[in-house]
Amino acid sequence: MKKPADTSCRLHDPIQQRWSPRAFADRPVEESDLKSLFEAARWASSCFNEQPWQFIIAIKANPQEYERMLSCLVVGNQEWAKLAPVLILTVAKSTFDHHGKPNKHAWHDVGLAVGNLVIQATTLGLSLHQMAGILPDRIREVYEVPQGFDPVTALALGYVGDPSLLSEEMRQVELAKRARKPLAEFVFGGQWGKAASIVE
Ligand SMILES: Cc1cc2nc3c(=O)[nH]c(=O)nc-3n(C[C@H](O)[C@H](O)[C@H](O)COP(=O)(O)O)c2cc1C
């Protein structure tokens, strides 16, 4: 299934094609493809080149590890994320290496790394669904995440599956039209709240 973005101009193909499915096919992801996703994440920019991102990965081929990671998601996400052949947790380092002060942009930079990862995944024909619905305390406990590191999101990764794999409620969401705010609502010119002329 495809759900391309309905855009006002043509975009780079993986941006146009990316969407967040809940139904994943029962098909494993090649290790070399997985490695390339983290290589893409590695080359994201970050504040002071701190690279505050950490990833923890579990694949279905290792059921014990997979179940352990699945148990770190809220139940509503477990319901569909259990279809994905790969689960990933993202973790941010909250202070700078060079002077130990708080890094206010750590989560921002984890997001940039995930942005790279998502685009690489889409280019390889893979799909990814990000989740804020995680259990940070459980992640901390299960993976012995040290102080100064914060769980940020989980990612479900794999090939798009048939929506019939989902519950009726989830299927409705899966098939729903994608929506976005118009550009004029968030691109301003000289005055706050007033659309820049390029997007009017
Ligand atoms: C940081 C972040 C957290 C999200 N958390 C959840 C989540 O916990 N559960 C869920 O089903 N979807 C979650 N999503 C997916 C969003 O709902 C989805 O990206 C949004 O509806 C736009 O849809 P699209 O990605 O298909 O364009 C999350 C997305 C992001 C970026």
Side-chain angles (χ1 to χ4, degrees):
M1 192 168 84
K2 294 189 175 195
K3 288 177 82 172
D6 180 11
T7 52
S8 56
C9 49
R10 180 136 178 86
L11 300 179
H12 184 40
D13 209 45
I15 298 175
Q16 194 103 39
Q17 298 304 327
R18 185 214 60 83
W19 66 286
S20 304
R22 288 184 175 79
F24 288 92
D26 184 15
R27 175 181 166 193
V29 181
E30 292 287 335
E31 281 190 13
S32 55
D33 284 350
L34 283 178
K35 186 177 174 186
S36 79
L37 304 188
F38 296 110
E39 189 62 43
R42 180 177 174 228
W43 286 98
S45 55
S46 62
C47 186
F48 278 106
N49 199 20
E50 172 70 30
Q51 306 158 62
W53 45 77
Q54 275 70 214
F55 298 93
I56 310 171
I57 181 170
I59 58 174
K60 232 177 207 171
N62 186 339
Q64 216 177 335
E65 281 299 329
Y66 187 89
E67 285 303 320
R68 219 153 73 98
M69 193 168 289
L70 195 64
S71 75
C72 293
L73 310 183
V74 298
V75 172
N77 281 335
Q78 285 188 28
E79 204 183 309
W80 56 266
K82 67 184 178 198
L83 295 169
V86 181
L87 296 174
I88 297 167
L89 297 173
T90 74
V91 178
K93 182 172 187 287
S94 58
T95 54
F96 283 106
D97 280 341
H98 66 285
H99 55 32
K101 291 189 181 157
N103 179 358
K104 284 208 305 183
H105 293 90
W107 285 43
H108 170 276
D109 293 349
V110 170
L112 286 181
V114 172
N116 269 17
L117 192 153
V118 174
I119 294 303
Q120 176 70 9
T122 310
T123 305
L124 295 171
L126 289 157
S127 291
L128 196 142
H129 197 127
Q130 303 178 57
M131 290 166 268
I134 55 172
L135 303 171
D137 292 342
R138 181 162 172 77
I139 293 170
R140 209 172 268 295
E141 188 187 316
V142 168
Y143 294 100
E144 299 179 23
V145 177
Q147 286 305 316
F149 292 82
D150 300 315
V152 179
T153 53
L155 318 174
L157 172 78
Y159 296 93
V160 172
D162 194 311
S164 66
L165 293 163
L166 299 169
S167 66
E168 179 54 31
E169 192 190 335
M170 294 280 171
R171 191 159 50 244
Q172 297 297 333
V173 182
E174 193 83 338
L175 299 173
K177 200 168 163 355
R178 297 175 67 207
R180 286 299 189 270
K181 294 175 186 172
L183 288 171
E185 257 184 48
F186 61 90
V187 183
F188 306 149
Q191 192 186 341
W192 178 260
K194 193 162 178 343
S197 59
I198 54 159
V199 296
E200 270 172 346

